């Protein structure tokens, strides 16, 4: 059964997510953790795979002048994670339905459940690439995220 996602303020992210947000490598994030005593402490996870509170990380990045504007695809992924949590595949399917409708596909009920902000972001992202590219990028990111959490619910990218 799907569990609701934590509120955005309580959302936890990995060092790889921090690197993506800041536009740096994971090694840079590791260096920040060692060199800056005020870097946010892990809230969960393990020593080798720590999870950090998103709100605290964003605040720290801004204070250090290390934040950058997130790419639309990263914003879309983060939005889906915050709204859908463990049910993110359902959100991805709704985006696929929405973008399929926009390209003249058959009408689908799934896109009606999308948060309007996520729907708008999905449309803007698809306008700068394509609907197929947006859905493929989300599927790849989902597969990578699931693999990182050592879940046995991973399917092949082809599927």
């Amino acid at each position: 059964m799907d569990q609701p996602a934590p509120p955005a303020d309580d959302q936890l992210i990995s060092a790889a997510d921090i690197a993506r947000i800041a536009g740096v490598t994971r090694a840079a994030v590791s260096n920040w953790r060692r060199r800056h005593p005020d870097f946010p402490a892990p809230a969960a996870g393990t020593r080798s795979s720590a999870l950090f509170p998103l709100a605290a990380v964003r605040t720290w990045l801004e204070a250090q002048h290390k934040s950058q504007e997130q790419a639309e695809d990263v914003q879309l992924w983060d939005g889906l994670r915050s709204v859908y949590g463990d049910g993110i595949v359902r959100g991805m399917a709704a985006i696929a339905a929405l973008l399929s409708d926009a390209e003249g596909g058959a009408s689908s009920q799934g896109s009606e459940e999308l948060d309007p902000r996520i729907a708008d972001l999905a449309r803007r992202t698809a306008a700068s690439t394509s609907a197929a590219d947006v859905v493929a990028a989300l599927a790849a990111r989902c597969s990578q995220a699931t693999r990182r959490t050592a879940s046995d619910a991973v399917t092949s990218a082809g599927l």
Side-chain angles (χ1 to χ4, degrees):
M1 172 163 253
D2 295 338
Q3 295 181 359
D9 290 345
D10 296 339
Q11 187 176 347
L12 299 177
I13 59 173
S14 69
D17 295 326
I18 296 169
R20 247 188 313 278
I21 289 169
V24 299
T25 65
R26 285 185 283 181
V29 174
S30 179
N31 287 335
W32 293 343
R33 289 181 64 193
R34 283 195 311 274
R35 294 178 183 163
H36 296 277
D38 62 334
F39 190 86
T46 65
R47 182 168 170 79
S48 63
S49 184
L51 297 173
F52 303 87
L54 175 60
V57 167
R58 284 196 171 139
T59 300
W60 186 86
L61 288 170
E62 288 174 16
Q64 297 292 320
H65 306 291
K66 296 183 185 303
S67 62
Q68 69 174 24
E69 185 64 32
Q70 284 183 316
E72 286 181 335
D73 63 322
V74 174
Q75 292 177 36
L76 183 57
W77 176 254
D78 287 346
L80 281 172
R81 280 190 351 177
S82 68
V83 171
Y84 288 93
D86 291 339
I88 197 163
V89 172
R90 193 174 74 240
M92 291 168 47
I95 285 177
L98 172 76
L99 297 178
S100 173
D101 290 349
E103 290 190 345
S107 180
S108 172
Q109 299 292 346
S111 63
E112 294 174 10
E113 72 179 56
L114 274 174
D115 178 287
R117 293 168 296 173
I118 292 175
D120 182 55
L121 186 55
R123 286 185 196 102
R124 285 196 325 260
T125 305
S128 64
T129 60
S130 73
D133 287 346
V134 171
V135 174
L138 289 173
R141 193 174 289 253
C142 182
S143 179
Q144 290 168 352
T146 307
R147 225 177 269 119
R148 279 195 310 266
T149 61
S151 172
D152 60 356
V154 178
T155 61
S156 70
L159 181 58

